[in-house]
């Protein structure tokens, strides 16, 4: 029997291993999900919401346990991991608060004794495939609304964060969720492909790489099931001439380096009006050099390792290629003695003298790396921000809201920020364009993805 092995990026030691699901396991899991979902969908929405509120409370009550497992499995500083539990609760509770509105039938006027309405029904069984970088925050986007809408959920987590799946399912079970309604599975890519191709799954919510999204699309081809795909990103920011420079520097440095740059909507490209360029770079470098890189179990550390050695080597390769093409890393590596070759620890890097021919400016790096370019105008900034195959978020730093709206209308992106970045508001639709994927999570529109509509056309005699 094959098994997953999780290596902690903290010290390169084996953290845990688990057996992969067999075909018999999948048959048992999917059968239980089908049975539980039929009964669950018949429960009043108010009862489902009340039980899910208790489930969120159970997760929050275990903040210390979850936070430690996140840090040990993927390396985020222990000083920051509890924030993911707060975000989980914020998103989950918001989605429950709008469930009645989102799932309400649409009644139409009676006409010629015809009673007409459109109602929303659960799709059935939702497969959530969640990544390691935000193991709770990405998963909650589909899990809570899917369950609230009357679906069952099977959670497949990254091999890097299997404990998060196990702990979340246990917390929901302890809240009283019916057996079989919310389950996890540890499985190989081939097993998940077979699961998607089978009639057992009615919707796939995937967060991960473009390559992974393409594999989901291929597996689902011909099944005509719904898919939500949140894929890669290389998110840009523009600092206009009228920006508050101090606020822009502080926000964007954090947006580039929080979670060691391993954020779907983290900032990787910054375009600064030429009048502020040198000052912005100097201040950003000074702030980056204050970061404390080290063992993430130390509460004084605010920059931990990247998730695994292979990822670290890919990030170093991106840096090497970009520097070889003329980029300059402005951060003094001597300030970060733990950033040794062959380790998972990387110093933050701020690259100047960059161009869009360099990988740092046109591919997803997913590490503590950001490139900064000067621009002469709004038009040039917009053209450069759009010059990318990804389109998740874009940030504009300005004092002029009308200008931000005008520029936002020209940007090829799912979300436009003004004077902030790297954040999900659960009231807003989380979506992307181009190679960032398709589909929507969060907001009322997120519920629409996890349900199907049924029209009623009833003639009274």
């Amino acid at each position: 029997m094959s098994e997953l092995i999780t290596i902690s990026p903290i010290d390169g030691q084996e953290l845990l291993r688990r057996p992969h699901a067999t075909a018999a396991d999948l048959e048992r899991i999917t059968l239980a999900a089908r049975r539980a979902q039929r009964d669950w969908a018949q429960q009043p929405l108010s009862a489902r919401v009340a039980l899910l509120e208790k489930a969120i409370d159970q997760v929050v009550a275990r903040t210390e346990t979850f936070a430690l497992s996140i840090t040990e499995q993927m390396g985020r500083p222990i000083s920051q991991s509890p924030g993911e539990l707060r975000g989980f609760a914020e998103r989950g509770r918001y989605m429950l608060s709008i469930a009645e509105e989102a799932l309400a039938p649409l009644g139409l006027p009676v006409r010629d004794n015809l009673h007409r309405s459109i109602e929303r029904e659960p799709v059935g069984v939702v497969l959530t495939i969640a990544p390691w970088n935000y193991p709770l925050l990405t998963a909650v986007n589909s899990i809570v609304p899917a369950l609230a809408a009357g679906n069952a959920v099977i959670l497949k987590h990254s091999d890097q964060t299997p404990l998060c799946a196990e702990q979340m399912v246990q917390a929901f079970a302890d809240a009283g969720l019916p057996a079989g309604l919310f389950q996890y599975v540890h499985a190989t890519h081939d097993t998940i492909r077979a699961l998607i191709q089978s009639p057992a799954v009615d919707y796939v919510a995937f967060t991960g790489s473009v390559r992974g999204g393409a594999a989901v699309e291929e597996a689902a081809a011909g099944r005509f099931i719904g898919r939500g795909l949140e894929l890669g990103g290389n998110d840009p920011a523009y600092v206009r001439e009228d920006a508050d420079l101090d606020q822009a520097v502080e926000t964007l440095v954090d947006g580039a380096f929080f979670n060691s740059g391993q954020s779907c909507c983290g900032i990787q490209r910054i375009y600064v009006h030429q009048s502020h360029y040198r000052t912005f770079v100097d201040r950003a470098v000074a702030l980056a050099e204050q970061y404390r890189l080290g063992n993430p179990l130390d509460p004084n550390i605010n920059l931990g390792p990247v998730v695994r050695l292979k990822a670290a080597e890919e990030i170093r390769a991106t840096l090497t290629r970009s520097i070889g093409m003329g980029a300059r890393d402005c951060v003094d590596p001597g300030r970060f003695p733990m950033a040794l070759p062959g380790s998972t620890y990387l110093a933050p890097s701020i690259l100047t003298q960059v161009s869009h021919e360099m990988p740092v400016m046109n591919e997803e790096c997913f590490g503590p790396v950001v490139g900064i370019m000067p621009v002469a105008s709004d038009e040039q900034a917009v053209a450069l921000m759009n010059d990318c195959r990804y389109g998740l978020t874009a940030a504009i730093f300005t004092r002029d809201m009308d200008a931000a709206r005008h520029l936002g209308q020209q940007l090829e992106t799912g979300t436009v920020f003004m004077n902030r970045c790297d954040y999900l508001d659960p009231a807003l639709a989380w979506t992307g364009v181009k190679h960032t994927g398709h589909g929507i999570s969060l907001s009322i529109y997120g519920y629409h993805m996890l349900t199907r509509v049924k029209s009623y056309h009833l003639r009274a005699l």
Side-chain angles (χ1 to χ4, degrees):
M1 177 183 294
S2 66
E3 58 185 0
L4 70 84
I5 301 173
T6 301
I7 303 298
S8 175
I10 297 174
D11 54 12
Q13 298 300 305
E14 180 181 318
L15 187 64
L16 59 89
R17 59 176 65 203
R18 295 286 190 272
H20 284 133
T22 63
D25 292 329
L26 286 187
E27 184 176 0
R28 171 183 53 79
I29 289 169
T30 54
L31 181 60
R34 285 287 180 196
R35 288 173 174 169
Q37 189 273 326
R38 284 193 292 269
D39 293 336
W40 177 249
Q42 298 305 310
Q43 297 298 313
L45 175 60
S46 59
R48 298 199 299 263
V49 167
L51 199 49
L52 290 169
E53 287 173 343
K54 292 180 181 178
I56 292 172
D57 290 342
Q58 284 287 333
V59 172
V60 173
R62 306 169 199 212
T63 291
E64 187 174 339
T65 299
F66 272 103
L68 180 60
S69 70
I70 289 170
T71 295
E72 290 180 334
Q73 290 173 103
M74 57 77 60
R76 186 183 310 137
I78 194 65
S79 61
Q80 299 169 356
S81 289
E84 184 154 354
L85 280 297
R86 294 190 291 272
F88 178 95
E90 177 195 19
R91 293 185 195 176
R93 287 173 178 150
Y94 179 80
M95 293 304 288
L96 293 180
S97 75
I98 64 169
E100 184 175 1
E101 177 187 3
L103 299 171
L106 174 63
L108 299 171
V110 177
R111 188 183 67 188
D112 298 331
N113 288 330
L114 294 172
H115 295 253
R116 301 169 299 156
S117 63
I118 302 173
E119 300 189 5
R120 291 199 168 272
E121 297 183 343
V123 294
V125 176
V126 172
L127 173 62
T128 292
I129 304 176
W132 50 264
N133 62 322
Y134 285 96
L136 301 186
L137 280 179
T138 53
V140 72
N141 293 354
S142 59
I143 290 172
V144 167
L147 291 170
N151 298 291
V153 175
I154 299 171
L155 172 61
K156 193 281 179 191
H157 237 301
S158 163
D159 286 2
Q160 195 66 39
T161 48
L163 282 177
C164 292
E166 296 174 7
Q167 292 165 345
M168 198 186 314
V169 168
Q170 186 62 55
F172 277 53
D174 291 346
L177 216 66
L181 190 66
F182 179 32
Q183 304 172 81
Y184 68 83
V185 60
H186 301 316
T188 65
H189 294 320
D190 288 342
T191 300
I192 293 299
R193 183 182 301 110
L195 181 60
I196 295 171
Q197 291 171 339
S198 77
V201 169
D202 303 295
Y203 184 89
V204 182
F206 174 84
T207 304
S209 67
V210 174
R211 182 175 58 187
V216 171
E217 290 273 58
E218 181 181 358
R223 289 215 50 227
F224 311 114
I225 60 173
R227 300 174 302 286
L229 305 175
E230 184 196 327
L231 311 178
N234 184 332
D235 288 7
Y238 171 36
V239 181
R240 293 184 81 229
E241 189 173 12
D242 68 339
D244 180 327
L245 210 56
D246 289 337
Q247 190 268 343
V249 169
E250 182 178 354
T251 303
L252 287 171
V253 168
D254 179 70
F257 299 140
F258 188 83
N259 204 35
S260 295
Q262 301 168 123
S263 300
C264 302
C265 56
I267 295 297
Q268 193 173 322
R269 298 177 286 144
I270 303 175
Y271 305 97
V272 183
H273 190 272
Q274 58 192 13
S275 62
H276 295 309
Y277 176 72
R278 179 42 56 194
T279 302
F280 182 94
V281 170
D282 289 344
R283 292 183 187 180
V285 170
L287 185 55
E289 289 183 345
Q290 294 176 28
Y291 274 70
R292 300 176 300 278
L293 174 68
N295 188 318
L297 294 171
D298 181 343
N300 295 311
I301 292 299
N302 64 355
L303 187 66
V306 297
V307 65
R308 55 178 71 94
L309 186 58
K310 180 181 178 182
E313 295 306 324
E314 290 173 349
I315 296 164
R316 289 189 178 100
T318 294
L319 283 169
T320 298
R321 287 174 58 204
S322 297
I323 291 171
M325 296 172 71
R328 173 175 173 261
D329 191 345
C330 298
V331 176
D332 178 6
R335 293 178 176 270
F336 302 93
M338 283 201 68
L340 298 173
S343 78
T344 53
Y345 292 84
L346 292 97
S349 291
I350 294 178
L351 301 185
T352 60
Q353 301 175 29
V354 291
S355 71
H356 274 223
E357 286 68 43
M358 298 175 183
V360 69
M361 302 300 282
N362 60 43
E363 289 298 332
E364 184 174 48
C365 183
F366 229 58
V369 180
V370 65
I372 307 179
M373 287 181 68
V375 293
S377 65
D378 288 351
E379 292 75 20
Q380 184 185 12
V382 168
L384 290 169
M385 294 169 86
N386 285 339
D387 184 27
C388 181
R389 66 179 181 137
Y390 303 110
L392 185 55
T393 77
I396 302 166
F397 287 77
T398 177
R399 300 176 192 270
D400 187 337
M401 188 169 292
D402 289 337
R405 286 187 177 276
H406 175 69
L407 295 174
Q409 291 167 358
Q410 303 171 59
L411 292 172
E412 299 165 353
T413 187
T415 295
V416 176
F417 292 113
M418 174 180 165
N419 297 328
R420 76 176 312 174
C421 61
D422 193 21
Y423 174 74
L424 277 72
D425 182 338
L428 298 176
W430 189 244
T431 186
V433 299
K434 298 191 280 192
H435 280 206
T436 290
H438 66 80
I440 299 170
S441 62
L442 300 176
S443 79
I444 285 176
Y445 294 100
Y447 273 104
H448 292 181
M449 300 292 296
L450 298 162
T451 54
R452 56 177 173 238
V453 295
K454 178 179 287 185
S455 294
Y456 286 85
H457 198 251
L458 311 178
R459 181 186 295 278
L461 298 178

